Amino acid sequence: MLDKIFNLIVELEEDEAIGLAKKYIEEGGNPQKLLEACGNAMGEIGQRFEKGEYFLSELILAGDIFKSIMEFTLPKLKQGEVTKVGKMVLGTVHEDVHNIGKDIFKVFAEASGFEVIDIGIDTPPEKFVEAVKEHKPDIVGMSCLITAGVSSMKKTVDALREAGLRDKVKIIIGGGRVDEGVKEFAGADAWADDAAKGVRLCKELLGLEG
Ligand code: B12
């Protein structure tokens, strides 16, 4: 069924894709596997966009389909009581409005015991600084899907350093546009391009078992 959902999303068959995804969840399907299939479909849609086969309107529709599926899938990931392991300020960086991956990572982190303060999308460095001053998190998470966001991440880390806060937090970056080189460039402590790995790394950064 997951292959079918993948294909329906890639072909932007909105109603059918959402309907089948709902059926999958109602029949006890694995929410993580469903999100993985949706994420893979987004990757394929991104490639079609790059090749000029899809346009911005298709990206927008794809985002809407994914958001509708997340509405009934993310609550399934939330378990009952979890032991609190730490606090995180999380946002998508300046100039980047993609929020789907950030929202998924947030739910994964909450399900593992992190209190997450979500400061939204297109977040300027000053807003990260203010949030760190106010909430005193253990971790700052930045999501970035576009090239323009890479320098925003560096500017954010620099702003935290200038405010004397860099050594008080661990910084993890995530999203489709990050890798080891970007981590080094931005001055972050860790990077992940999938939510489950991201949460494991967050725990490791705090000296907890991943
Ligand atoms: C949907 C989409 C949109 C939607 C977003 C809707 C929304 N509400 O988010 C809309 C239409 C708004 C959009 C706009 C644009 N987009 Co767009 N978009 C996509 C698309 C198809 C899917 C993104 C997505 O949701 N993926 C699924 C999620 C689940 O994956 P993810 O974000 O990587 O998240 C996972 C992990 O990375 C991780 N994670 C995410 N965040 C974090 C954070 C932390 C801390 C951690 C640890 C982990 C973590 O957890 C998630 C789950 O495992 C991608 C293609 C792609 N390959 O990603 C292009 C893509 C990102 N977009 C692209 C572009 C170019 C644009 C536009 C510039 C287009 C334009 N001409 O206007 C604008 C940018 C606007 C802006 N200023 O930000 C390019 C970026 C290329 C680049 N290198 O810069 C891509 C890669 C498409 C492509 N191949 O060309 N887009």
Side-chain angles (χ1 to χ4, degrees), residues 35 38-39 42-47 49-50 56 59-64 66-67 88 90 95-102 104-105 108 140-148 172-177 191-199 202:
L35 290 176
C38 296
M42 294 307 226
E44 173 60 28
I45 288 163
Q47 278 174 23
F49 175 74
E50 260 176 77
L56 189 57
L59 282 193
I60 294 171
L61 178 54
D64 287 346
F66 202 151
K67 275 193 269 173
M88 182 185 320
L90 175 68
E95 297 196 46
D96 188 345
V97 303
H98 296 84
N99 72 327
I100 294 172
K102 166 183 72 62
I104 293 178
F105 173 65
F108 272 66
V140 171
M142 290 189 257
S143 185
C144 174
L145 268 81
I146 59 172
T147 305
I172 184 164
I173 58 175
R177 195 53 197 86
W191 70 276
D193 56 6
D194 94 73
K197 184 175 165 208
V199 173
C202 285

Side-chain angles (χ1 to χ4, degrees), residues 43-118:
E44 173 60 28
I45 288 163
Q47 278 174 23
R48 290 188 185 192
F49 175 74
E50 260 176 77
K51 284 191 236 155
E53 293 168 12
Y54 275 177
F55 299 96
L56 189 57
S57 52
E58 273 95 4
L59 282 193
I60 294 171
L61 178 54
D64 287 346
I65 296 174
F66 202 151
K67 275 193 269 173
S68 300
I69 293 176
M70 274 164 51
E71 267 170 37
F72 53 82
T73 307
L74 291 186
K76 298 280 173 199
L77 289 171
K78 292 186 179 156
Q79 301 144 354
E81 280 296 294
V82 283
T83 316
K84 198 177 160 203
V85 295
K87 200 194 266 190
M88 182 185 320
V89 161
L90 175 68
T92 300
V93 293
H94 194 35
E95 297 196 46
D96 188 345
V97 303
H98 296 84
N99 72 327
I100 294 172
K102 166 183 72 62
D103 291 352
I104 293 178
F105 173 65
K106 177 183 174 183
V107 173
F108 272 66
E110 286 176 340
S112 292
F114 284 94
E115 177 191 349
V116 181
I117 294 113
D118 184 347

